[in-house]
Amino acid sequence: KNIRKGDLKIYIDKSEYYLAVKHEGSTLIKYPCVLGFNPVDDKAMEGDGSTPEGNFGVRSMYAHRSWKYFIWIDYPNAESWRRFKQRKADGEIPEDATIGGEVGIHGVPEGMDSMIDDGTNWTLGCISLKNDHITDLYKSINSSTKIEIVP
């Protein structure tokens, strides 16, 4: 069956530490992943080490010198900004906090796939895969692929 790249969806389950590629609700492949150094919370502000939750698109995709490939998620989006402003209004985050950005899906430094096997949450909020897996993912999707990140 010929599947268009734009019809694929990336589904990331933070509590189960996997990234799945889905088509029409069916899982085509699952990859183990790791997250930011605070893997539990939704991203509230820059520097919190959390991976954002919600529905996103792809802002850009490119080869990366340090992490093989980088699939840049369109965080912050309108919903991210709404939550950020609400958290400020509720006093949950400092008044001078910034929302952050540059969140994406990427590989690991060359030879460091063991960080995925060991479950080392090492990023500042990005989703990290083994380098072979990010290569497969990068080649399988395009900029119209949708991304869902759940707690």
Side-chain angles (χ1 to χ4, degrees), residues 46-76:
E46 185 171 12
D48 64 6
S50 297
T51 301
E53 296 164 4
N55 292 294
F56 302 95
V58 174
R59 180 174 290 171
S60 183
M61 299 169 51
Y62 49 89
H64 194 282
R65 186 171 41 94
S66 302
W67 308 312
K68 196 76 170 176
Y69 291 104
F70 191 83
I71 300 165
W72 189 7
I73 296 172
D74 71 348
Y75 171 90

PDB file of all heavy atoms in Angstrom, residues 46-76:
ATOM      1  N   GLU A  46      10.772  28.153  29.256  1.00  0.00           N
ATOM      2  CA  GLU A  46      12.140  27.872  28.843  1.00  0.00           C
ATOM      3  C   GLU A  46      12.967  27.466  30.054  1.00  0.00           C
ATOM      4  O   GLU A  46      12.853  28.061  31.128  1.00  0.00           O
ATOM      5  CB  GLU A  46      12.740  29.123  28.189  1.00  0.00           C
ATOM      6  CG  GLU A  46      14.115  28.895  27.616  1.00  0.00           C
ATOM      7  CD  GLU A  46      14.605  30.074  26.785  1.00  0.00           C
ATOM      8  OE1 GLU A  46      13.982  31.156  26.829  1.00  0.00           O
ATOM      9  OE2 GLU A  46      15.594  29.894  26.075  1.00  0.00           O
ATOM     10  N   GLY A  47      13.786  26.421  29.896  1.00  0.00           N
ATOM     11  CA  GLY A  47      14.701  26.009  30.953  1.00  0.00           C
ATOM     12  C   GLY A  47      14.139  24.988  31.926  1.00  0.00           C
ATOM     13  O   GLY A  47      14.853  24.541  32.814  1.00  0.00           O
ATOM     14  N   ASP A  48      12.852  24.607  31.778  1.00  0.00           N
ATOM     15  CA  ASP A  48      12.282  23.668  32.747  1.00  0.00           C
ATOM     16  C   ASP A  48      12.596  22.208  32.434  1.00  0.00           C
ATOM     17  O   ASP A  48      12.299  21.315  33.220  1.00  0.00           O
ATOM     18  CB  ASP A  48      10.771  23.876  32.919  1.00  0.00           C
ATOM     19  CG  ASP A  48       9.953  23.586  31.661  1.00  0.00           C
ATOM     20  OD1 ASP A  48      10.522  23.108  30.652  1.00  0.00           O
ATOM     21  OD2 ASP A  48       8.738  23.844  31.701  1.00  0.00           O
ATOM     22  N   GLY A  49      13.220  21.942  31.279  1.00  0.00           N
ATOM     23  CA  GLY A  49      13.616  20.581  30.929  1.00  0.00           C
ATOM     24  C   GLY A  49      12.465  19.659  30.592  1.00  0.00           C
ATOM     25  O   GLY A  49      12.636  18.445  30.532  1.00  0.00           O
ATOM     26  N   SER A  50      11.286  20.230  30.363  1.00  0.00           N
ATOM     27  CA  SER A  50      10.101  19.424  30.064  1.00  0.00           C
ATOM     28  C   SER A  50       9.836  19.380  28.563  1.00  0.00           C
ATOM     29  O   SER A  50      10.151  20.312  27.836  1.00  0.00           O
ATOM     30  CB  SER A  50       8.874  20.013  30.764  1.00  0.00           C
ATOM     31  OG  SER A  50       9.047  19.963  32.163  1.00  0.00           O
ATOM     32  N   THR A  51       9.217  18.287  28.132  1.00  0.00           N
ATOM     33  CA  THR A  51       8.809  18.106  26.745  1.00  0.00           C
ATOM     34  C   THR A  51       7.357  18.567  26.618  1.00  0.00           C
ATOM     35  O   THR A  51       6.520  18.142  27.414  1.00  0.00           O
ATOM     36  CB  THR A  51       8.968  16.626  26.351  1.00  0.00           C
ATOM     37  OG1 THR A  51      10.345  16.249  26.527  1.00  0.00           O
ATOM     38  CG2 THR A  51       8.551  16.389  24.908  1.00  0.00           C
ATOM     39  N   PRO A  52       7.061  19.430  25.657  1.00  0.00           N
ATOM     40  CA  PRO A  52       5.684  19.935  25.533  1.00  0.00           C
ATOM     41  C   PRO A  52       4.701  18.832  25.168  1.00  0.00           C
ATOM     42  O   PRO A  52       5.069  17.844  24.529  1.00  0.00           O
ATOM     43  CB  PRO A  52       5.781  20.979  24.423  1.00  0.00           C
ATOM     44  CG  PRO A  52       6.996  20.637  23.654  1.00  0.00           C
ATOM     45  CD  PRO A  52       7.936  19.964  24.611  1.00  0.00           C
ATOM     46  N   GLU A  53       3.449  19.025  25.593  1.00  0.00           N
ATOM     47  CA  GLU A  53       2.377  18.090  25.276  1.00  0.00           C
ATOM     48  C   GLU A  53       1.357  18.792  24.395  1.00  0.00           C
ATOM     49  O   GLU A  53       1.168  20.000  24.503  1.00  0.00           O
ATOM     50  CB  GLU A  53       1.717  17.600  26.573  1.00  0.00           C
ATOM     51  CG  GLU A  53       2.677  16.814  27.443  1.00  0.00           C
ATOM     52  CD  GLU A  53       2.202  16.630  28.878  1.00  0.00           C
ATOM     53  OE1 GLU A  53       1.069  17.044  29.208  1.00  0.00           O
ATOM     54  OE2 GLU A  53       2.979  16.086  29.671  1.00  0.00           O
ATOM     55  N   GLY A  54       0.717  18.025  23.524  1.00  0.00           N
ATOM     56  CA  GLY A  54      -0.309  18.591  22.661  1.00  0.00           C
ATOM     57  C   GLY A  54      -0.137  18.158  21.225  1.00  0.00           C
ATOM     58  O   GLY A  54       0.575  17.197  20.929  1.00  0.00           O
ATOM     59  N   ASN A  55      -0.801  18.890  20.346  1.00  0.00           N
ATOM     60  CA  ASN A  55      -0.765  18.607  18.914  1.00  0.00           C
ATOM     61  C   ASN A  55       0.068  19.664  18.201  1.00  0.00           C
ATOM     62  O   ASN A  55      -0.145  20.857  18.403  1.00  0.00           O
ATOM     63  CB  ASN A  55      -2.190  18.588  18.358  1.00  0.00           C
ATOM     64  CG  ASN A  55      -2.966  17.409  18.905  1.00  0.00           C
ATOM     65  OD1 ASN A  55      -2.643  16.256  18.623  1.00  0.00           O
ATOM     66  ND2 ASN A  55      -3.971  17.683  19.719  1.00  0.00           N
ATOM     67  N   PHE A  56       0.999  19.196  17.395  1.00  0.00           N
ATOM     68  CA  PHE A  56       1.955  20.079  16.743  1.00  0.00           C
ATOM     69  C   PHE A  56       2.128  19.696  15.282  1.00  0.00           C
ATOM     70  O   PHE A  56       1.703  18.632  14.853  1.00  0.00           O
ATOM     71  CB  PHE A  56       3.319  20.004  17.451  1.00  0.00           C
ATOM     72  CG  PHE A  56       3.258  20.357  18.909  1.00  0.00           C
ATOM     73  CD1 PHE A  56       3.135  19.371  19.875  1.00  0.00           C
ATOM     74  CD2 PHE A  56       3.289  21.682  19.312  1.00  0.00           C
ATOM     75  CE1 PHE A  56       3.059  19.697  21.221  1.00  0.00           C
ATOM     76  CE2 PHE A  56       3.207  22.021  20.664  1.00  0.00           C
ATOM     77  CZ  PHE A  56       3.092  21.022  21.613  1.00  0.00           C
ATOM     78  N   GLY A  57       2.785  20.575  14.561  1.00  0.00           N
ATOM     79  CA  GLY A  57       3.194  20.303  13.200  1.00  0.00           C
ATOM     80  C   GLY A  57       4.715  20.327  13.132  1.00  0.00           C
ATOM     81  O   GLY A  57       5.392  20.464  14.142  1.00  0.00           O
ATOM     82  N   VAL A  58       5.239  20.195  11.928  1.00  0.00           N
ATOM     83  CA  VAL A  58       6.681  20.242  11.691  1.00  0.00           C
ATOM     84  C   VAL A  58       7.020  21.628  11.155  1.00  0.00           C
ATOM     85  O   VAL A  58       6.483  22.048  10.134  1.00  0.00           O
ATOM     86  CB  VAL A  58       7.115  19.157  10.676  1.00  0.00           C
ATOM     87  CG1 VAL A  58       8.594  19.297  10.329  1.00  0.00           C
ATOM     88  CG2 VAL A  58       6.808  17.773  11.220  1.00  0.00           C
ATOM     89  N   ARG A  59       7.877  22.355  11.851  1.00  0.00           N
ATOM     90  CA  ARG A  59       8.307  23.683  11.402  1.00  0.00           C
ATOM     91  C   ARG A  59       9.387  23.568  10.335  1.00  0.00           C
ATOM     92  O   ARG A  59       9.396  24.289   9.352  1.00  0.00           O
ATOM     93  CB  ARG A  59       8.814  24.483  12.601  1.00  0.00           C
ATOM     94  CG  ARG A  59       9.288  25.880  12.238  1.00  0.00           C
ATOM     95  CD  ARG A  59       9.646  26.684  13.452  1.00  0.00           C
ATOM     96  NE  ARG A  59       8.433  27.011  14.196  1.00  0.00           N
ATOM     97  CZ  ARG A  59       8.425  27.562  15.394  1.00  0.00           C
ATOM     98  NH1 ARG A  59       9.552  27.838  15.997  1.00  0.00           N
ATOM     99  NH2 ARG A  59       7.291  27.838  15.997  1.00  0.00           N
ATOM    100  N   SER A  60      10.323  22.644  10.552  1.00  0.00           N
ATOM    101  CA  SER A  60      11.438  22.469   9.623  1.00  0.00           C
ATOM    102  C   SER A  60      12.077  21.100   9.886  1.00  0.00           C
ATOM    103  O   SER A  60      11.876  20.517  10.953  1.00  0.00           O
ATOM    104  CB  SER A  60      12.460  23.591   9.829  1.00  0.00           C
ATOM    105  OG  SER A  60      13.515  23.502   8.901  1.00  0.00           O
ATOM    106  N   MET A  61      12.845  20.615   8.916  1.00  0.00           N
ATOM    107  CA  MET A  61      13.575  19.349   9.045  1.00  0.00           C
ATOM    108  C   MET A  61      14.930  19.522   8.387  1.00  0.00           C
ATOM    109  O   MET A  61      15.009  20.033   7.283  1.00  0.00           O
ATOM    110  CB  MET A  61      12.834  18.223   8.314  1.00  0.00           C
ATOM    111  CG  MET A  61      11.445  17.928   8.810  1.00  0.00           C
ATOM    112  SD  MET A  61      10.509  16.804   7.711  1.00  0.00           S
ATOM    113  CE  MET A  61      11.629  15.446   7.464  1.00  0.00           C
ATOM    114  N   TYR A  62      15.976  19.072   9.077  1.00  0.00           N
ATOM    115  CA  TYR A  62      17.302  19.205   8.476  1.00  0.00           C
ATOM    116  C   TYR A  62      18.316  18.260   9.125  1.00  0.00           C
ATOM    117  O   TYR A  62      18.113  17.787  10.243  1.00  0.00           O
ATOM    118  CB  TYR A  62      17.804  20.651   8.576  1.00  0.00           C
ATOM    119  CG  TYR A  62      17.694  21.289   9.953  1.00  0.00           C
ATOM    120  CD1 TYR A  62      18.709  21.178  10.890  1.00  0.00           C
ATOM    121  CD2 TYR A  62      16.553  22.024  10.303  1.00  0.00           C
ATOM    122  CE1 TYR A  62      18.604  21.770  12.142  1.00  0.00           C
ATOM    123  CE2 TYR A  62      16.436  22.611  11.553  1.00  0.00           C
ATOM    124  CZ  TYR A  62      17.476  22.475  12.471  1.00  0.00           C
ATOM    125  OH  TYR A  62      17.355  23.054  13.706  1.00  0.00           O
ATOM    126  N   ALA A  63      19.404  18.001   8.386  1.00  0.00           N
ATOM    127  CA  ALA A  63      20.518  17.231   8.941  1.00  0.00           C
ATOM    128  C   ALA A  63      21.147  18.067  10.047  1.00  0.00           C
ATOM    129  O   ALA A  63      21.165  19.298   9.979  1.00  0.00           O
ATOM    130  CB  ALA A  63      21.538  16.934   7.852  1.00  0.00           C
ATOM    131  N   HIS A  64      21.640  17.395  11.093  1.00  0.00           N
ATOM    132  CA  HIS A  64      22.209  18.103  12.231  1.00  0.00           C
ATOM    133  C   HIS A  64      23.607  17.564  12.535  1.00  0.00           C
ATOM    134  O   HIS A  64      23.811  16.359  12.586  1.00  0.00           O
ATOM    135  CB  HIS A  64      21.301  17.948  13.455  1.00  0.00           C
ATOM    136  CG  HIS A  64      21.613  18.892  14.560  1.00  0.00           C
ATOM    137  ND1 HIS A  64      22.664  18.695  15.416  1.00  0.00           N
ATOM    138  CD2 HIS A  64      21.007  20.041  14.935  1.00  0.00           C
ATOM    139  CE1 HIS A  64      22.697  19.692  16.287  1.00  0.00           C
ATOM    140  NE2 HIS A  64      21.699  20.520  16.015  1.00  0.00           N
ATOM    141  N   ARG A  65      24.525  18.465  12.746  1.00  0.00           N
ATOM    142  CA  ARG A  65      25.928  18.115  12.966  1.00  0.00           C
ATOM    143  C   ARG A  65      26.120  17.232  14.193  1.00  0.00           C
ATOM    144  O   ARG A  65      26.932  16.311  14.193  1.00  0.00           O
ATOM    145  CB  ARG A  65      26.731  19.422  13.104  1.00  0.00           C
ATOM    146  CG  ARG A  65      28.227  19.268  13.200  1.00  0.00           C
ATOM    147  CD  ARG A  65      28.915  20.615  13.107  1.00  0.00           C
ATOM    148  NE  ARG A  65      28.221  21.647  13.859  1.00  0.00           N
ATOM    149  CZ  ARG A  65      28.513  21.980  15.115  1.00  0.00           C
ATOM    150  NH1 ARG A  65      29.493  21.384  15.744  1.00  0.00           N
ATOM    151  NH2 ARG A  65      27.845  22.920  15.742  1.00  0.00           N
ATOM    152  N   SER A  66      25.378  17.499  15.267  1.00  0.00           N
ATOM    153  CA  SER A  66      25.576  16.772  16.520  1.00  0.00           C
ATOM    154  C   SER A  66      24.623  15.601  16.728  1.00  0.00           C
ATOM    155  O   SER A  66      24.962  14.651  17.430  1.00  0.00           O
ATOM    156  CB  SER A  66      25.418  17.729  17.708  1.00  0.00           C
ATOM    157  OG  SER A  66      26.331  18.792  17.618  1.00  0.00           O
ATOM    158  N   TRP A  67      23.403  15.701  16.163  1.00  0.00           N
ATOM    159  CA  TRP A  67      22.368  14.706  16.482  1.00  0.00           C
ATOM    160  C   TRP A  67      21.748  14.081  15.255  1.00  0.00           C
ATOM    161  O   TRP A  67      20.582  13.741  15.241  1.00  0.00           O
ATOM    162  CB  TRP A  67      21.263  15.332  17.340  1.00  0.00           C
ATOM    163  CG  TRP A  67      21.760  16.047  18.537  1.00  0.00           C
ATOM    164  CD1 TRP A  67      22.672  15.587  19.442  1.00  0.00           C
ATOM    165  CD2 TRP A  67      21.404  17.356  18.970  1.00  0.00           C
ATOM    166  NE1 TRP A  67      22.892  16.527  20.410  1.00  0.00           N
ATOM    167  CE2 TRP A  67      22.123  17.631  20.142  1.00  0.00           C
ATOM    168  CE3 TRP A  67      20.525  18.321  18.478  1.00  0.00           C
ATOM    169  CZ2 TRP A  67      22.001  18.826  20.824  1.00  0.00           C
ATOM    170  CZ3 TRP A  67      20.418  19.507  19.163  1.00  0.00           C
ATOM    171  CH2 TRP A  67      21.145  19.746  20.323  1.00  0.00           C
ATOM    172  N   LYS A  68      22.527  13.922  14.180  1.00  0.00           N
ATOM    173  CA  LYS A  68      22.128  13.255  12.940  1.00  0.00           C
ATOM    174  C   LYS A  68      21.085  14.043  12.147  1.00  0.00           C
ATOM    175  O   LYS A  68      21.379  14.546  11.080  1.00  0.00           O
ATOM    176  CB  LYS A  68      21.629  11.833  13.247  1.00  0.00           C
ATOM    177  CG  LYS A  68      21.555  10.912  12.059  1.00  0.00           C
ATOM    178  CD  LYS A  68      22.915  10.433  11.652  1.00  0.00           C
ATOM    179  CE  LYS A  68      22.836   9.317  10.630  1.00  0.00           C
ATOM    180  NZ  LYS A  68      24.153   8.927  10.160  1.00  0.00           N
ATOM    181  N   TYR A  69      19.853  14.114  12.671  1.00  0.00           N
ATOM    182  CA  TYR A  69      18.780  14.884  12.040  1.00  0.00           C
ATOM    183  C   TYR A  69      17.992  15.621  13.108  1.00  0.00           C
ATOM    184  O   TYR A  69      17.958  15.195  14.266  1.00  0.00           O
ATOM    185  CB  TYR A  69      17.820  13.979  11.253  1.00  0.00           C
ATOM    186  CG  TYR A  69      18.436  13.383  10.023  1.00  0.00           C
ATOM    187  CD1 TYR A  69      18.838  12.062  10.007  1.00  0.00           C
ATOM    188  CD2 TYR A  69      18.605  14.143   8.868  1.00  0.00           C
ATOM    189  CE1 TYR A  69      19.409  11.504   8.860  1.00  0.00           C
ATOM    190  CE2 TYR A  69      19.170  13.597   7.734  1.00  0.00           C
ATOM    191  CZ  TYR A  69      19.575  12.279   7.734  1.00  0.00           C
ATOM    192  OH  TYR A  69      20.137  11.745   6.604  1.00  0.00           O
ATOM    193  N   PHE A  70      17.352  16.713  12.689  1.00  0.00           N
ATOM    194  CA  PHE A  70      16.510  17.489  13.604  1.00  0.00           C
ATOM    195  C   PHE A  70      15.172  17.743  12.925  1.00  0.00           C
ATOM    196  O   PHE A  70      15.125  18.287  11.824  1.00  0.00           O
ATOM    197  CB  PHE A  70      17.183  18.824  13.954  1.00  0.00           C
ATOM    198  CG  PHE A  70      16.523  19.557  15.085  1.00  0.00           C
ATOM    199  CD1 PHE A  70      16.824  19.242  16.401  1.00  0.00           C
ATOM    200  CD2 PHE A  70      15.609  20.564  14.837  1.00  0.00           C
ATOM    201  CE1 PHE A  70      16.225  19.922  17.460  1.00  0.00           C
ATOM    202  CE2 PHE A  70      14.996  21.248  15.880  1.00  0.00           C
ATOM    203  CZ  PHE A  70      15.314  20.922  17.199  1.00  0.00           C
ATOM    204  N   ILE A  71      14.106  17.288  13.563  1.00  0.00           N
ATOM    205  CA  ILE A  71      12.739  17.553  13.104  1.00  0.00           C
ATOM    206  C   ILE A  71      12.180  18.573  14.085  1.00  0.00           C
ATOM    207  O   ILE A  71      11.891  18.252  15.240  1.00  0.00           O
ATOM    208  CB  ILE A  71      11.899  16.261  13.082  1.00  0.00           C
ATOM    209  CG1 ILE A  71      12.536  15.230  12.138  1.00  0.00           C
ATOM    210  CG2 ILE A  71      10.455  16.579  12.677  1.00  0.00           C
ATOM    211  CD1 ILE A  71      12.002  13.817  12.305  1.00  0.00           C
ATOM    212  N   TRP A  72      12.095  19.809  13.624  1.00  0.00           N
ATOM    213  CA  TRP A  72      11.734  20.932  14.479  1.00  0.00           C
ATOM    214  C   TRP A  72      10.216  21.012  14.610  1.00  0.00           C
ATOM    215  O   TRP A  72       9.499  21.164  13.616  1.00  0.00           O
ATOM    216  CB  TRP A  72      12.309  22.208  13.880  1.00  0.00           C
ATOM    217  CG  TRP A  72      12.239  23.431  14.706  1.00  0.00           C
ATOM    218  CD1 TRP A  72      11.834  23.540  16.012  1.00  0.00           C
ATOM    219  CD2 TRP A  72      12.601  24.746  14.301  1.00  0.00           C
ATOM    220  NE1 TRP A  72      11.924  24.832  16.431  1.00  0.00           N
ATOM    221  CE2 TRP A  72      12.386  25.598  15.404  1.00  0.00           C
ATOM    222  CE3 TRP A  72      13.074  25.290  13.115  1.00  0.00           C
ATOM    223  CZ2 TRP A  72      12.637  26.970  15.341  1.00  0.00           C
ATOM    224  CZ3 TRP A  72      13.326  26.645  13.063  1.00  0.00           C
ATOM    225  CH2 TRP A  72      13.115  27.477  14.167  1.00  0.00           C
ATOM    226  N   ILE A  73       9.739  20.879  15.846  1.00  0.00           N
ATOM    227  CA  ILE A  73       8.301  20.929  16.148  1.00  0.00           C
ATOM    228  C   ILE A  73       7.870  22.391  16.240  1.00  0.00           C
ATOM    229  O   ILE A  73       8.611  23.234  16.745  1.00  0.00           O
ATOM    230  CB  ILE A  73       8.035  20.194  17.479  1.00  0.00           C
ATOM    231  CG1 ILE A  73       8.382  18.712  17.336  1.00  0.00           C
ATOM    232  CG2 ILE A  73       6.598  20.377  17.935  1.00  0.00           C
ATOM    233  CD1 ILE A  73       8.342  17.946  18.643  1.00  0.00           C
ATOM    234  N   ASP A  74       6.646  22.672  15.812  1.00  0.00           N
ATOM    235  CA  ASP A  74       6.184  24.068  15.837  1.00  0.00           C
ATOM    236  C   ASP A  74       5.688  24.505  17.237  1.00  0.00           C
ATOM    237  O   ASP A  74       4.634  25.100  17.388  1.00  0.00           O
ATOM    238  CB  ASP A  74       5.134  24.334  14.753  1.00  0.00           C
ATOM    239  CG  ASP A  74       3.799  23.671  15.025  1.00  0.00           C
ATOM    240  OD1 ASP A  74       3.717  22.814  15.921  1.00  0.00           O
ATOM    241  OD2 ASP A  74       2.832  24.008  14.318  1.00  0.00           O
ATOM    242  N   TYR A  75       6.507  24.196  18.236  1.00  0.00           N
ATOM    243  CA  TYR A  75       6.298  24.727  19.593  1.00  0.00           C
ATOM    244  C   TYR A  75       7.086  26.021  19.697  1.00  0.00           C
ATOM    245  O   TYR A  75       8.244  26.038  19.288  1.00  0.00           O
ATOM    246  CB  TYR A  75       6.792  23.731  20.649  1.00  0.00           C
ATOM    247  CG  TYR A  75       6.804  24.333  22.045  1.00  0.00           C
ATOM    248  CD1 TYR A  75       5.688  24.242  22.859  1.00  0.00           C
ATOM    249  CD2 TYR A  75       7.915  25.026  22.508  1.00  0.00           C
ATOM    250  CE1 TYR A  75       5.681  24.828  24.114  1.00  0.00           C
ATOM    251  CE2 TYR A  75       7.907  25.619  23.757  1.00  0.00           C
ATOM    252  CZ  TYR A  75       6.801  25.515  24.550  1.00  0.00           C
ATOM    253  OH  TYR A  75       6.781  26.108  25.790  1.00  0.00           O
ATOM    254  N   PRO A  76       6.535  27.084  20.244  1.00  0.00           N
ATOM    255  CA  PRO A  76       5.179  27.194  20.774  1.00  0.00           C
ATOM    256  C   PRO A  76       4.156  27.480  19.672  1.00  0.00           C
ATOM    257  O   PRO A  76       4.420  28.240  18.768  1.00  0.00           O
ATOM    258  CB  PRO A  76       5.280  28.376  21.725  1.00  0.00           C
ATOM    259  CG  PRO A  76       6.377  29.236  21.159  1.00  0.00           C
ATOM    260  CD  PRO A  76       7.335  28.289  20.495  1.00  0.00           C
TER     261      PRO A  76
END
